[in-house]
Amino acid sequence: MEHGNDRKARRLTSAFVAATVTLGIAGGLAALTTASSNAATTPGCTAVYSTTWDSGSGFGAQVVITNNGPAWTNWTLTYSYAGNQTLQNGWNGTWSQSGSNVTVANASYNGAVASGGSVTPAGNFTYSGTNPAPTSFAVNGITCGGTTPPPTTTPSTTPSTTPSTTPSTTPSTTPSTTPSTTPSTTPSTGGGGGGHVANPFVGASQYLSPDYTGEVNAQVAADQSSNPTLAASEAKMAGYSTAVWMDHIGAIAGDPGSVHHGLQWHLDQALSQQKAGTPITFEVVIYDLPGRDCAAIASNGEIPATAAGLTEYESQYIDPISTILANPKYAGIRIVAVIEPDSLPNAVTNQSKPACATATPFYESGVEYALNKLHAISNVYNYVDIAHSAWLGWSSNMGPAAQEFAKVARATTAGRGSIDGFISVTANYTPTTEPFLPNSTLQVGGNPLDSAKFYQYNPYFDEYDYDQAMYSQLVGQGFSPNIGMLIDTSRNGWGGPNRPTALNSSPTTVDTYVAANKVDQRPFRGDWCNQAGAGIGARPTVLPYGSSNHIIAFVWIKPPGESDGDYVTATHPHGDPHCDPNGTNTDGNGNTYSTGSIPGFDVPAGMMFPAEFQMLVKNAFPAL
């Protein structure tokens, strides 16, 4: 995976909070909690302003305006900036700016706001210097009650030298850790079985793959006599939903002799698990593009990056899958399709690699075709892979990535509407949050934390912050504000004895400070294959941060314990050197690191890896 870099420091999030709310910080973003004092009697309106991302020269902002009086048939929001913030684009309203004054009039679809109702216009801006939050808001000429937020501090300028780009391998896996705010574990109710709903996970049960349950139960039986405590924890894993991977053409029907059954078999099992009156969610990974994973070896595909290969992908892979999914008997199943992990991110960052340059047009055409075929099935929900913060977190990567996703979406029949949302850290290990490193611009020894070798000026240390920032970029590219973000938390928990339990503020250099406080225990952030010390992450959860957050679910796309890949030995000719525990990875700056892979084993991709499964369970966070 080829990384870019970002010489701009990210600011702490600022927020204006009206009199009826209190402010807390969670994962680097404003967490807003309604107070109980006078919310019902505040006249006119309440306004809550927050920044959703900030790169040091640009930012996203949203204003949640609540109607505390009679119903509105239309609305106009006005406020002013004290700095040189300049509007670039906006949504959920018609935005304009004159000098420092910003005006947002309602869009055609959100002018009517009932008493007690709210609406959230949002936009993207540029600026230089400081970025103070506005202090006064009005709707339809009536000032909304509020208080002045604390001033936003300005980060020091980053060094003038540009760090080199980082790793040259494409990860084929991804998980996450528990957020610094405690996610809700209670799914929302509602969202019945009919139609194409906004969030397919709400009000639905989740499919439990008998294939994965069988693998788990076999390991439990093997460990029962020698370690009954571990076996008891392992047994809980069978109760969580995991995705079914269509990682080659043979997987569609099911390979003879394999423990993994075919797609139709799994859908029939989902029907048998479905309870009357309750929809069931079924997750499937679409993963067999021509020239797949052009910058890796362990996950290279079977179809060549040629015109003939594209035809094979369409006719022999996507068409059979879409035919099965379109069977009317499966119409009551909410099918969540994870579209081609690592493909379009490679089109953004790895064009210097001949294999990736060759594969890119086939990636784009293949994903376009897959989206068209799957979106045409009303109970299929398409979530496109956006890699993870350690790959696309630099501004030089994030913006172009959002443009690439929009480019492919625009080419589809339904345009951006063919995509229901996006998923990050698919089968990888980047934490959901870094609880003791919430501020990437914190100065230690005169340098910002993101200048540490582990981060290399990437301002996004975790998936929560990355997903919020990428959401703003995607909406800025014309995607609906209703798109949902998923995080694969199957293996990014990083619990166990090496996980920090409290902030250690004593180190005096950025590298030692980061090493002492990060929960991500990889020696190098670009390591991705069968990582030693990893643990199960947050359990699959619907609306982990509530219904107003862009992250709509935690999911387990990678079945925990199944190997990422093998490596070449004297008796084993296939494999990826990045899976070799004796191998090294490089960051592009002349520094080399261990691959971080579990020593002593060489297990092919997709096969159950007992030692890894045991480790993941032992290091689960939260503990099983």
Side-chain angles (χ1 to χ4, degrees), residues 342-392:
D342 294 346
S343 59
L344 297 181
N346 266 314
V348 175
T349 65
N350 280 324
Q351 291 305 289
S352 62
K353 295 180 177 295
C356 291
T358 298
T360 291
F362 301 110
Y363 286 4
E364 293 173 339
S365 296
V367 171
E368 175 192 342
Y369 188 86
L371 291 172
N372 276 334
K373 296 289 287 190
L374 298 177
H375 177 70
I377 306 168
S378 63
N379 59 308
V380 173
Y381 298 78
N382 289 328
Y383 290 85
V384 172
D385 179 79
I386 55 170
H388 49 85
S389 57
W391 187 346
L392 299 180

Side-chain angles (χ1 to χ4, degrees), residues 27 63 79 91 99 161 165 217 228 244 286 307 381 411 416 437 547:
V63 187
Y79 68 91
W91 53 96
T161 56
T165 56
N217 290 339
V244 174
I286 307 301
Y381 298 78
R416 296 172 184 84
L437 300 172
S547 60

Side-chain angles (χ1 to χ4, degrees), residues 69-276:
W72 297 335
T73 56
N74 53 66
W75 52 266
T76 299
L77 167 71
T78 55
Y79 68 91
S80 299
Y81 282 111
N84 61 0
Q85 296 94 330
T86 302
L87 175 69
Q88 298 299 298
N89 61 339
W91 53 96
N92 279 1
T94 301
W95 288 73
S96 61
Q97 183 173 5
S98 176
S100 61
N101 301 316
V102 175
T103 300
V104 190
N106 63 269
S108 59
Y109 58 85
N110 65 357
V113 181
S115 180
S118 62
V119 65
T120 308
N124 292 323
F125 297 78
T126 59
Y127 75 99
S128 62
T130 61
N131 185 20
T135 59
S136 180
F137 298 83
V139 175
N140 295 339
I142 299 175
T143 300
C144 300
T147 58
T148 301
T152 303
T153 57
T154 303
S156 63
T157 56
T158 51
S160 58
T161 56
T162 302
S164 300
T165 56
T166 35
S168 58
T169 58
T170 303
S172 61
T173 52
T174 316
S176 59
T177 67
T178 311
S180 56
T181 52
T182 303
S184 166
T185 57
T186 305
S188 295
T189 58
H196 194 90
V197 299
N199 183 344
F201 297 93
V202 171
S205 62
Q206 281 73 48
Y207 174 63
L208 300 179
S209 167
D211 290 351
Y212 185 65
T213 298
E215 291 178 320
V216 169
N217 290 339
Q219 191 60 47
V220 170
D223 293 335
Q224 183 63 54
S225 59
S226 59
N227 194 334
T229 300
L230 174 62
S233 295
E234 291 173 340
K236 298 176 183 178
M237 297 291 289
Y240 295 107
S241 177
T242 55
V244 174
W245 286 66
M246 296 290 102
D247 56 2
H248 61 289
I249 292 172
I252 301 172
D255 294 312
S258 171
V259 298
H260 297 146
H261 289 82
L263 180 58
Q264 184 171 326
W265 184 90
H266 278 288
L267 288 167
D268 288 340
Q269 298 301 309
L271 286 177
S272 69
Q273 292 181 18
Q274 187 172 9
K275 299 175 182 178

